[in-house]
Amino acid sequence: AQVAWQKICRLVVQSSKMMVQALAALLGAGGVVALAVVLFGVIAVLFSSPFGILFADQTGDPGGFSIQSIVQETNAEMDQAIQDEITAHPECDRVEVHCQNKENQSWTWYWPEVLALFTVDMNLHEQTDLLVIDARKKDKLQDMFWRMHRIESEVEKVETTPPSNTGSTSSSSASSTPAPPQVSYTLHVTIHSRPVEDLATELCFTEDERATLQILLSDEMRLGLEGLIGG
């Protein structure tokens, strides 16, 4: 489904050009000028709207970054941040990584939410098109990811009393000092994912912007966003 969506996005761009060329051939250059202007106007509105994000990887601009590459880079940064927490606690015998959010999902599941928030913030707040993700927009997208997620760690100390040697009946065993408790440490690493509504409030989204955000996160549009991030 994701591959199909990406093909659809490419076909929209290609078919728009082909449509104008075909009309020009059939009707003549003079008769199709007005129609071409209207068609390209509609396409321009689509590309300059928040939904233009769906075509971000189709321009082939050499100065742009693909969203999938940004996602992979940011995921690697998160993995490294988790590993840094583990490395900082060499005394721990055990490590548990938890994801805490209302959907009880892994933090990677939230990339469509991150992308939708970034899209509304950049397109409607900053009036910026998203057909080309340059270095500044890349930084903005990664910043949105880290605004949604944070890492916390806690060390749990566990004391275990070793079993007593009750099978011995010698006087030396009866008078021996009990063995000291065994101590182990567990590192709990928790990734917190903030709700979309909290970030929308923090970014001062208007009601219209919240409505656009909900459209981007609808089941149909989410499929397109998942296609951009690579599933």
Side-chain angles (χ1 to χ4, degrees), residues 93-94 155-161 181-186 188:
D93 311 284
R94 183 180 179 189
V155 175
E156 178 188 8
K157 179 180 178 181
V158 179
E159 294 187 359
T160 305
T161 303
Q182 297 175 351
V183 179
S184 63
Y185 297 92
T186 299
H188 297 276

Side-chain angles (χ1 to χ4, degrees), residues 2-65:
Q2 293 162 357
V3 172
W5 180 268
Q6 291 174 339
K7 289 181 179 179
I8 290 172
C9 293
R10 289 194 293 269
L11 285 173
V12 168
V13 178
Q14 295 169 0
S15 61
S16 300
K17 298 176 182 178
M18 293 173 62
M19 187 183 302
V20 172
Q21 293 171 355
L23 288 173
L26 289 172
L27 304 177
V32 80
V33 169
L35 182 58
V37 170
V38 172
L39 178 61
F40 279 120
V42 172
I43 295 172
V45 170
L46 173 64
F47 285 173
S48 62
S49 75
F51 307 105
I53 188 67
L54 298 174
F55 306 94
D57 294 341
Q58 309 304 322
T59 62
D61 192 294
F65 297 85

